[in-house]
Amino acid sequence: MPSSYDVIVVGLGGMGSAAAYHLAARGQRVLGLERFGPAHNLGSSHGGSRIYRQACFEDPAYVPLLLRAHELWEKLGVDSGREVFTETGGIMIGRENSLAFSGTLSSARQWGLAHEVLTATEIRRRFPTFTPADQDVAFYEHKAGIARPEETVSAHLALARAHGAELHFSEGVLGWEAEGRGGKAWVVTDRGAYTADHLVIAPGAWAPKLLSDVGVRVTVERQVMYWFQPEGGTGPFTADRHPVYIWEDPDGTQIYGFPALDGADGGAKVAFFRKGVPSDPDTLDREVHPEEIAAMAEYLRPRIPALPGRFLKAAASMYANTPDEHFVLARHPEHAQVTVACGFSGHGFKFVPVIGEILADLALEGTTRHPIELFNPRRVRV
């Protein structure tokens, strides 16, 4: 007979590790399954930093979730003793009609979030590492900051285990089944088979393989993160002087970046947003090529003159995108005992703690107090 649990969580990256913790903390017998090691660098939850922001240009409906995520990140840091989040402030630069500026400003006004609007002159004075064009403006919020993906995943895993969760690593899931609408769920791996009353599937970039029947097409794109050592050193780029940022040009190109987080020789991280190529997670090109580094360096020079400076390193990651770039977060449309979380489309990590809370709600209660109507898989059928 296969081993039986209250809940099986498939995927222990950002969302799955948070779900495993919240479920175990509620007294559930949890099995977590992960095809790689703990807090690995082969999916989407790595790279040392992710931007957290409260005013959300993607849709104002995200804001209540981000406010709750902030509370849970503070709790996670206390409970785990790990540095999972750092508040640095955040700036969104662009023309007045850019999505990064206008969408963020609209979101902040709708929810009454504290913020400042800066002219190009004010940007240069407050944050002299930036050289915006005279026509640029910026939205600034003090509550923005940095989430540490590896530390966050490790913290959730450690707390899940402390609450009794059984976590299996280097065990790949081959498939799953659900018996009717109220029966058991089954999971088959490359080591064995397991059964549970509830199944939570948070497969990241492997969603097209494990959730092809959820009703929303998820596509995977390769993305690259870069670290450069600024000319003159990291002093002007430290977290107490330099905010996280998103910068949108008139043609819609966006870059995002961070303060220097890893000491005098650790450099500053920057990346293009949504400038990837379709990929398969099992055959992803993990080599970063010279022409990619050169393109990033060329783009940085007129905007942040101390960068690129000296190239240090780069890493490939993945976005799992839905057609409308909103998440899929719901009970499975055909299987009430299965809860799914996928399609986080490159802007999901800042929600990780609250997504774990929501997944536990949905698995155990079938509903949640959090507003998640935007993430219903039946919203779009492609």
Short mmCIF file of all heavy atoms in Angstrom, two decimals, residues 51-74 85 87 89-92 103-115 139-146 244 246 350-351:
data_model
loop_
_atom_site.label_atom_id
_atom_site.label_comp_id
_atom_site.label_asym_id
_atom_site.label_seq_id
_atom_site.Cartn_x
_atom_site.Cartn_y
_atom_site.Cartn_z
N ILE A 51 12.28 41.79 -6.11
CA ILE A 51 11.67 43.05 -5.71
C ILE A 51 10.34 42.79 -5.03
O ILE A 51 9.51 42.02 -5.52
CB ILE A 51 11.47 43.98 -6.91
CG1 ILE A 51 12.82 44.50 -7.42
CG2 ILE A 51 10.57 45.17 -6.55
CD1 ILE A 51 12.72 45.38 -8.65
N TYR A 52 10.15 43.43 -3.88
CA TYR A 52 8.83 43.52 -3.24
C TYR A 52 8.36 44.96 -3.38
O TYR A 52 9.09 45.90 -3.07
CB TYR A 52 8.91 43.13 -1.77
CG TYR A 52 7.64 43.48 -1.02
CD1 TYR A 52 6.55 42.61 -1.02
CD2 TYR A 52 7.52 44.70 -0.34
CE1 TYR A 52 5.38 42.95 -0.37
CE2 TYR A 52 6.35 45.04 0.31
CZ TYR A 52 5.28 44.16 0.30
OH TYR A 52 4.11 44.49 0.94
N ARG A 53 7.15 45.14 -3.84
CA ARG A 53 6.53 46.46 -3.94
C ARG A 53 5.06 46.32 -3.62
O ARG A 53 4.46 45.28 -3.88
CB ARG A 53 6.75 47.07 -5.33
CG ARG A 53 6.38 46.14 -6.48
CD ARG A 53 6.93 46.63 -7.83
NE ARG A 53 6.86 45.58 -8.83
CZ ARG A 53 5.85 45.40 -9.67
NH1 ARG A 53 4.80 46.22 -9.63
NH2 ARG A 53 5.87 44.42 -10.56
N GLN A 54 4.47 47.36 -3.05
CA GLN A 54 3.06 47.28 -2.67
C GLN A 54 2.14 47.86 -3.72
O GLN A 54 1.08 47.30 -4.01
CB GLN A 54 2.86 47.99 -1.33
CG GLN A 54 3.56 47.29 -0.18
CD GLN A 54 3.27 47.88 1.18
OE1 GLN A 54 2.82 49.02 1.29
NE2 GLN A 54 3.54 47.12 2.22
N ALA A 55 2.50 48.98 -4.32
CA ALA A 55 1.72 49.56 -5.41
C ALA A 55 2.04 48.77 -6.68
O ALA A 55 3.17 48.78 -7.14
CB ALA A 55 2.05 51.02 -5.59
N CYS A 56 1.04 48.12 -7.23
CA CYS A 56 1.29 47.09 -8.25
C CYS A 56 0.71 47.53 -9.58
O CYS A 56 -0.51 47.64 -9.74
CB CYS A 56 0.65 45.78 -7.79
SG CYS A 56 1.24 44.33 -8.65
N PHE A 57 1.58 47.79 -10.58
CA PHE A 57 1.07 48.26 -11.87
C PHE A 57 0.38 47.17 -12.66
O PHE A 57 -0.38 47.46 -13.58
CB PHE A 57 2.18 48.93 -12.70
CG PHE A 57 3.36 48.07 -13.07
CD1 PHE A 57 3.26 47.07 -14.01
CD2 PHE A 57 4.59 48.30 -12.47
CE1 PHE A 57 4.35 46.31 -14.38
CE2 PHE A 57 5.70 47.53 -12.82
CZ PHE A 57 5.58 46.53 -13.78
N GLU A 58 0.60 45.89 -12.33
CA GLU A 58 -0.05 44.81 -13.08
C GLU A 58 -1.56 44.82 -12.89
O GLU A 58 -2.32 44.55 -13.82
CB GLU A 58 0.51 43.46 -12.65
CG GLU A 58 1.92 43.18 -13.13
CD GLU A 58 2.99 43.77 -12.24
OE1 GLU A 58 2.65 44.47 -11.25
OE2 GLU A 58 4.19 43.54 -12.50
N ASP A 59 -2.03 45.15 -11.67
CA ASP A 59 -3.46 45.26 -11.40
C ASP A 59 -3.62 45.70 -9.94
O ASP A 59 -2.99 45.11 -9.06
CB ASP A 59 -4.18 43.92 -11.61
CG ASP A 59 -5.70 44.08 -11.71
OD1 ASP A 59 -6.30 44.53 -10.72
OD2 ASP A 59 -6.27 43.75 -12.76
N PRO A 60 -4.46 46.70 -9.66
CA PRO A 60 -4.65 47.11 -8.27
C PRO A 60 -5.20 46.00 -7.38
O PRO A 60 -5.04 46.06 -6.15
CB PRO A 60 -5.66 48.27 -8.38
CG PRO A 60 -5.51 48.78 -9.76
CD PRO A 60 -5.18 47.58 -10.60
N ALA A 61 -5.82 44.98 -7.98
CA ALA A 61 -6.39 43.88 -7.18
C ALA A 61 -5.32 43.11 -6.42
O ALA A 61 -5.63 42.38 -5.47
CB ALA A 61 -7.16 42.94 -8.09
N TYR A 62 -4.05 43.25 -6.81
CA TYR A 62 -2.98 42.55 -6.11
C TYR A 62 -2.62 43.18 -4.76
O TYR A 62 -1.98 42.55 -3.92
CB TYR A 62 -1.71 42.55 -6.97
CG TYR A 62 -1.70 41.63 -8.15
CD1 TYR A 62 -1.96 42.12 -9.43
CD2 TYR A 62 -1.41 40.28 -8.01
CE1 TYR A 62 -1.92 41.27 -10.54
CE2 TYR A 62 -1.37 39.44 -9.11
CZ TYR A 62 -1.63 39.94 -10.37
OH TYR A 62 -1.60 39.10 -11.46
N VAL A 63 -2.98 44.44 -4.56
CA VAL A 63 -2.46 45.18 -3.41
C VAL A 63 -2.81 44.54 -2.07
O VAL A 63 -1.93 44.42 -1.20
CB VAL A 63 -2.92 46.65 -3.47
CG1 VAL A 63 -2.54 47.39 -2.18
CG2 VAL A 63 -2.28 47.35 -4.68
N PRO A 64 -4.06 44.12 -1.80
CA PRO A 64 -4.33 43.52 -0.49
C PRO A 64 -3.47 42.29 -0.21
O PRO A 64 -3.08 42.05 0.95
CB PRO A 64 -5.81 43.14 -0.59
CG PRO A 64 -6.38 44.04 -1.62
CD PRO A 64 -5.28 44.23 -2.62
N LEU A 65 -3.15 41.54 -1.24
CA LEU A 65 -2.29 40.37 -1.05
C LEU A 65 -0.88 40.79 -0.70
O LEU A 65 -0.20 40.15 0.13
CB LEU A 65 -2.28 39.51 -2.31
CG LEU A 65 -3.64 38.97 -2.79
CD1 LEU A 65 -3.46 38.14 -4.05
CD2 LEU A 65 -4.30 38.15 -1.70
N LEU A 66 -0.40 41.88 -1.30
CA LEU A 66 0.95 42.36 -1.02
C LEU A 66 1.05 42.91 0.40
O LEU A 66 2.09 42.76 1.06
CB LEU A 66 1.35 43.40 -2.04
CG LEU A 66 1.60 42.83 -3.44
CD1 LEU A 66 1.64 43.94 -4.47
CD2 LEU A 66 2.90 42.05 -3.46
N LEU A 67 0.00 43.54 0.88
CA LEU A 67 0.01 44.03 2.26
C LEU A 67 0.09 42.86 3.24
O LEU A 67 0.82 42.92 4.24
CB LEU A 67 -1.23 44.89 2.52
CG LEU A 67 -1.35 46.15 1.66
CD1 LEU A 67 -2.66 46.88 1.98
CD2 LEU A 67 -0.17 47.08 1.88
N ARG A 68 -0.66 41.81 2.98
CA ARG A 68 -0.59 40.63 3.84
C ARG A 68 0.76 39.93 3.70
O ARG A 68 1.32 39.45 4.70
CB ARG A 68 -1.72 39.66 3.49
CG ARG A 68 -1.71 38.35 4.28
CD ARG A 68 -1.77 38.60 5.77
NE ARG A 68 -1.87 37.33 6.51
CZ ARG A 68 -1.59 37.19 7.80
NH1 ARG A 68 -1.20 38.25 8.52
NH2 ARG A 68 -1.68 36.02 8.38
N ALA A 69 1.32 39.89 2.51
CA ALA A 69 2.63 39.29 2.32
C ALA A 69 3.68 39.99 3.18
O ALA A 69 4.56 39.35 3.76
CB ALA A 69 3.04 39.33 0.85
N HIS A 70 3.59 41.31 3.27
CA HIS A 70 4.54 42.07 4.10
C HIS A 70 4.45 41.63 5.54
O HIS A 70 5.49 41.42 6.22
CB HIS A 70 4.25 43.56 3.96
CG HIS A 70 5.31 44.46 4.54
ND1 HIS A 70 5.36 44.78 5.87
CD2 HIS A 70 6.35 45.10 3.95
CE1 HIS A 70 6.40 45.57 6.10
NE2 HIS A 70 7.01 45.78 4.95
N GLU A 71 3.24 41.48 6.07
CA GLU A 71 3.07 41.01 7.44
C GLU A 71 3.68 39.62 7.64
O GLU A 71 4.35 39.36 8.65
CB GLU A 71 1.58 40.95 7.79
CG GLU A 71 0.87 42.30 7.80
CD GLU A 71 -0.63 42.17 8.00
OE1 GLU A 71 -1.16 41.03 7.93
OE2 GLU A 71 -1.28 43.21 8.21
N LEU A 72 3.44 38.75 6.68
CA LEU A 72 3.93 37.38 6.81
C LEU A 72 5.44 37.30 6.64
O LEU A 72 6.09 36.43 7.24
CB LEU A 72 3.22 36.48 5.80
CG LEU A 72 1.74 36.22 6.10
CD1 LEU A 72 1.08 35.46 4.96
CD2 LEU A 72 1.57 35.43 7.41
N TRP A 73 6.03 38.18 5.81
CA TRP A 73 7.48 38.19 5.70
C TRP A 73 8.12 38.61 7.03
O TRP A 73 9.13 38.05 7.45
CB TRP A 73 7.95 39.10 4.57
CG TRP A 73 8.67 38.33 3.51
CD1 TRP A 73 9.78 37.54 3.67
CD2 TRP A 73 8.32 38.22 2.13
NE1 TRP A 73 10.13 36.96 2.47
CE2 TRP A 73 9.26 37.36 1.52
CE3 TRP A 73 7.31 38.79 1.37
CZ2 TRP A 73 9.22 37.06 0.17
CZ3 TRP A 73 7.26 38.48 0.02
CH2 TRP A 73 8.21 37.62 -0.57
N GLU A 74 7.52 39.59 7.68
CA GLU A 74 8.04 39.99 8.99
C GLU A 74 7.95 38.82 9.97
O GLU A 74 8.89 38.56 10.74
CB GLU A 74 7.25 41.19 9.51
CG GLU A 74 7.54 42.49 8.75
CD GLU A 74 6.86 43.68 9.38
OE1 GLU A 74 5.86 43.49 10.12
OE2 GLU A 74 7.32 44.82 9.15
N PHE A 85 13.85 39.39 4.31
CA PHE A 85 13.30 40.60 3.68
C PHE A 85 14.04 41.83 4.21
O PHE A 85 14.33 41.93 5.40
CB PHE A 85 11.81 40.73 3.99
CG PHE A 85 11.18 41.97 3.40
CD1 PHE A 85 10.80 42.00 2.08
CD2 PHE A 85 11.00 43.11 4.17
CE1 PHE A 85 10.23 43.14 1.52
CE2 PHE A 85 10.44 44.26 3.63
CZ PHE A 85 10.05 44.27 2.30
N GLU A 87 13.79 46.14 3.78
CA GLU A 87 13.09 47.30 3.24
C GLU A 87 14.11 48.32 2.76
O GLU A 87 14.99 48.74 3.51
CB GLU A 87 12.19 47.91 4.31
CG GLU A 87 11.20 48.91 3.78
CD GLU A 87 10.18 49.30 4.83
OE1 GLU A 87 9.30 48.46 5.14
OE2 GLU A 87 10.28 50.43 5.35
N GLY A 89 13.04 50.83 0.09
CA GLY A 89 12.37 51.79 -0.78
C GLY A 89 12.49 51.35 -2.22
O GLY A 89 13.38 50.56 -2.58
N GLY A 90 11.57 51.83 -3.05
CA GLY A 90 11.58 51.43 -4.45
C GLY A 90 11.13 52.56 -5.35
O GLY A 90 10.27 53.37 -4.98
N ILE A 91 11.73 52.64 -6.53
CA ILE A 91 11.43 53.72 -7.48
C ILE A 91 11.07 53.12 -8.83
O ILE A 91 11.70 52.18 -9.30
CB ILE A 91 12.64 54.69 -7.59
CG1 ILE A 91 12.27 55.93 -8.38
CG2 ILE A 91 13.87 54.00 -8.15
CD1 ILE A 91 13.31 57.03 -8.28
N MET A 92 9.99 53.65 -9.43
CA MET A 92 9.53 53.23 -10.75
C MET A 92 9.69 54.43 -11.69
O MET A 92 9.01 55.45 -11.52
CB MET A 92 8.06 52.80 -10.72
CG MET A 92 7.71 51.88 -9.57
SD MET A 92 8.55 50.31 -9.61
CE MET A 92 8.67 49.97 -7.84
N GLY A 103 0.66 53.12 -14.02
CA GLY A 103 -0.04 52.00 -13.40
C GLY A 103 0.23 51.90 -11.92
O GLY A 103 -0.67 51.61 -11.12
N THR A 104 1.48 52.14 -11.53
CA THR A 104 1.83 52.10 -10.12
C THR A 104 1.16 53.24 -9.36
O THR A 104 0.62 53.05 -8.26
CB THR A 104 3.36 52.19 -9.96
OG1 THR A 104 3.97 51.14 -10.70
CG2 THR A 104 3.76 52.06 -8.50
N LEU A 105 1.17 54.44 -9.94
CA LEU A 105 0.53 55.59 -9.30
C LEU A 105 -0.97 55.36 -9.12
O LEU A 105 -1.53 55.64 -8.05
CB LEU A 105 0.78 56.84 -10.13
CG LEU A 105 0.21 58.15 -9.58
CD1 LEU A 105 0.79 58.48 -8.22
CD2 LEU A 105 0.45 59.29 -10.57
N SER A 106 -1.62 54.82 -10.14
CA SER A 106 -3.05 54.54 -10.05
C SER A 106 -3.34 53.53 -8.94
O SER A 106 -4.30 53.69 -8.17
CB SER A 106 -3.56 54.02 -11.41
OG SER A 106 -4.91 53.64 -11.32
N SER A 107 -2.53 52.51 -8.86
CA SER A 107 -2.71 51.49 -7.82
C SER A 107 -2.56 52.10 -6.43
O SER A 107 -3.35 51.82 -5.52
CB SER A 107 -1.69 50.37 -8.05
OG SER A 107 -1.79 49.37 -7.07
N ALA A 108 -1.53 52.93 -6.26
CA ALA A 108 -1.30 53.55 -4.96
C ALA A 108 -2.45 54.46 -4.56
O ALA A 108 -2.88 54.48 -3.39
CB ALA A 108 0.01 54.33 -4.98
N ARG A 109 -2.95 55.24 -5.50
CA ARG A 109 -4.05 56.15 -5.19
C ARG A 109 -5.32 55.38 -4.85
O ARG A 109 -6.06 55.78 -3.93
CB ARG A 109 -4.29 57.09 -6.38
CG ARG A 109 -3.21 58.16 -6.51
CD ARG A 109 -3.38 58.98 -7.78
NE ARG A 109 -2.47 60.13 -7.79
CZ ARG A 109 -2.28 60.90 -8.86
NH1 ARG A 109 -2.93 60.65 -10.01
NH2 ARG A 109 -1.43 61.92 -8.80
N GLN A 110 -5.58 54.29 -5.55
CA GLN A 110 -6.78 53.51 -5.27
C GLN A 110 -6.78 52.95 -3.86
O GLN A 110 -7.82 52.89 -3.19
CB GLN A 110 -6.92 52.38 -6.28
CG GLN A 110 -8.15 51.51 -6.04
CD GLN A 110 -8.38 50.51 -7.16
OE1 GLN A 110 -8.06 50.78 -8.31
NE2 GLN A 110 -8.96 49.37 -6.83
N TRP A 111 -5.61 52.54 -3.37
CA TRP A 111 -5.52 51.91 -2.06
C TRP A 111 -4.96 52.81 -0.98
O TRP A 111 -4.75 52.37 0.16
CB TRP A 111 -4.68 50.63 -2.17
CG TRP A 111 -5.39 49.56 -2.93
CD1 TRP A 111 -5.23 49.24 -4.24
CD2 TRP A 111 -6.39 48.69 -2.42
NE1 TRP A 111 -6.08 48.21 -4.59
CE2 TRP A 111 -6.80 47.86 -3.48
CE3 TRP A 111 -6.99 48.52 -1.16
CZ2 TRP A 111 -7.78 46.88 -3.34
CZ3 TRP A 111 -7.97 47.55 -1.00
CH2 TRP A 111 -8.36 46.74 -2.08
N GLY A 112 -4.74 54.08 -1.28
CA GLY A 112 -4.27 55.01 -0.28
C GLY A 112 -2.88 54.70 0.25
O GLY A 112 -2.58 54.90 1.43
N LEU A 113 -1.99 54.23 -0.64
CA LEU A 113 -0.63 53.88 -0.24
C LEU A 113 0.26 55.12 -0.24
O LEU A 113 0.23 55.93 -1.17
CB LEU A 113 -0.05 52.84 -1.19
CG LEU A 113 -0.82 51.52 -1.31
CD1 LEU A 113 -0.16 50.62 -2.35
CD2 LEU A 113 -0.90 50.81 0.03
N ALA A 114 1.07 55.26 0.79
CA ALA A 114 1.98 56.40 0.88
C ALA A 114 2.99 56.35 -0.25
O ALA A 114 3.55 55.28 -0.55
CB ALA A 114 2.69 56.40 2.23
N HIS A 115 3.25 57.50 -0.88
CA HIS A 115 4.17 57.53 -2.01
C HIS A 115 4.59 58.96 -2.30
O HIS A 115 4.03 59.91 -1.75
CB HIS A 115 3.53 56.92 -3.26
CG HIS A 115 2.36 57.72 -3.77
ND1 HIS A 115 1.09 57.60 -3.25
CD2 HIS A 115 2.27 58.68 -4.74
CE1 HIS A 115 0.26 58.42 -3.88
NE2 HIS A 115 0.96 59.09 -4.79
N PHE A 139 7.79 57.26 -9.54
CA PHE A 139 6.97 56.94 -8.38
C PHE A 139 7.90 56.34 -7.34
O PHE A 139 8.68 55.43 -7.65
CB PHE A 139 5.88 55.93 -8.77
CG PHE A 139 5.08 55.40 -7.61
CD1 PHE A 139 3.86 55.93 -7.30
CD2 PHE A 139 5.55 54.34 -6.84
CE1 PHE A 139 3.12 55.44 -6.24
CE2 PHE A 139 4.83 53.84 -5.78
CZ PHE A 139 3.60 54.40 -5.48
N TYR A 140 7.83 56.81 -6.10
CA TYR A 140 8.69 56.28 -5.04
C TYR A 140 7.84 55.83 -3.88
O TYR A 140 6.96 56.55 -3.42
CB TYR A 140 9.69 57.33 -4.56
CG TYR A 140 10.60 56.79 -3.48
CD1 TYR A 140 11.69 55.99 -3.79
CD2 TYR A 140 10.34 57.07 -2.14
CE1 TYR A 140 12.51 55.47 -2.79
CE2 TYR A 140 11.16 56.56 -1.13
CZ TYR A 140 12.23 55.76 -1.46
OH TYR A 140 13.03 55.24 -0.49
N GLU A 141 8.10 54.61 -3.38
CA GLU A 141 7.42 54.12 -2.18
C GLU A 141 8.45 53.60 -1.18
O GLU A 141 9.37 52.87 -1.53
CB GLU A 141 6.39 53.04 -2.50
CG GLU A 141 6.92 51.76 -3.10
CD GLU A 141 5.87 50.66 -3.10
OE1 GLU A 141 5.53 50.13 -2.03
OE2 GLU A 141 5.39 50.32 -4.20
N HIS A 142 8.25 53.98 0.07
CA HIS A 142 9.20 53.62 1.12
C HIS A 142 9.10 52.14 1.50
O HIS A 142 10.10 51.56 1.96
CB HIS A 142 8.97 54.48 2.36
CG HIS A 142 9.31 55.92 2.17
ND1 HIS A 142 10.58 56.43 2.36
CD2 HIS A 142 8.54 56.97 1.77
CE1 HIS A 142 10.58 57.72 2.11
NE2 HIS A 142 9.37 58.08 1.75
N LYS A 143 7.95 51.52 1.34
CA LYS A 143 7.75 50.15 1.82
C LYS A 143 8.29 49.09 0.87
O LYS A 143 8.28 47.90 1.19
CB LYS A 143 6.25 49.90 2.04
CG LYS A 143 5.68 50.61 3.25
CD LYS A 143 6.23 50.02 4.54
CE LYS A 143 5.58 50.62 5.76
NZ LYS A 143 6.15 50.06 7.01
N ALA A 144 8.76 49.49 -0.30
CA ALA A 144 9.33 48.51 -1.22
C ALA A 144 10.65 47.99 -0.66
O ALA A 144 11.27 48.58 0.22
CB ALA A 144 9.56 49.15 -2.58
N GLY A 145 11.06 46.83 -1.17
CA GLY A 145 12.30 46.27 -0.67
C GLY A 145 12.69 45.00 -1.40
O GLY A 145 12.28 44.76 -2.54
N ILE A 146 13.47 44.18 -0.70
CA ILE A 146 14.09 43.01 -1.30
C ILE A 146 13.67 41.76 -0.53
O ILE A 146 13.86 41.67 0.69
CB ILE A 146 15.62 43.12 -1.26
CG1 ILE A 146 16.08 44.34 -2.06
CG2 ILE A 146 16.28 41.85 -1.79
CD1 ILE A 146 17.49 44.76 -1.74
N VAL A 244 15.51 49.61 -4.69
CA VAL A 244 15.16 48.73 -5.81
C VAL A 244 14.48 49.59 -6.86
O VAL A 244 13.91 50.65 -6.55
CB VAL A 244 14.24 47.58 -5.36
CG1 VAL A 244 14.95 46.69 -4.36
CG2 VAL A 244 12.93 48.09 -4.80
N ILE A 246 12.49 49.81 -11.02
CA ILE A 246 12.02 49.37 -12.35
C ILE A 246 12.06 50.60 -13.24
O ILE A 246 11.60 51.67 -12.85
CB ILE A 246 10.61 48.77 -12.29
CG1 ILE A 246 10.59 47.51 -11.42
CG2 ILE A 246 10.09 48.47 -13.71
CD1 ILE A 246 9.20 46.94 -11.21
N LYS A 350 7.14 38.12 -4.87
CA LYS A 350 6.83 39.04 -3.78
C LYS A 350 5.56 38.64 -3.03
O LYS A 350 5.29 39.17 -1.94
CB LYS A 350 6.72 40.46 -4.30
CG LYS A 350 5.69 40.69 -5.39
CD LYS A 350 5.80 42.13 -5.89
CE LYS A 350 4.93 42.37 -7.12
NZ LYS A 350 5.48 41.68 -8.31
N PHE A 351 4.80 37.69 -3.57
CA PHE A 351 3.58 37.22 -2.93
C PHE A 351 3.79 35.92 -2.14
O PHE A 351 2.84 35.42 -1.53
CB PHE A 351 2.51 36.95 -3.99
CG PHE A 351 2.08 38.14 -4.77
CD1 PHE A 351 2.75 38.53 -5.92
CD2 PHE A 351 0.99 38.90 -4.38
CE1 PHE A 351 2.36 39.62 -6.66
CE2 PHE A 351 0.58 40.01 -5.11
CZ PHE A 351 1.27 40.37 -6.25
#
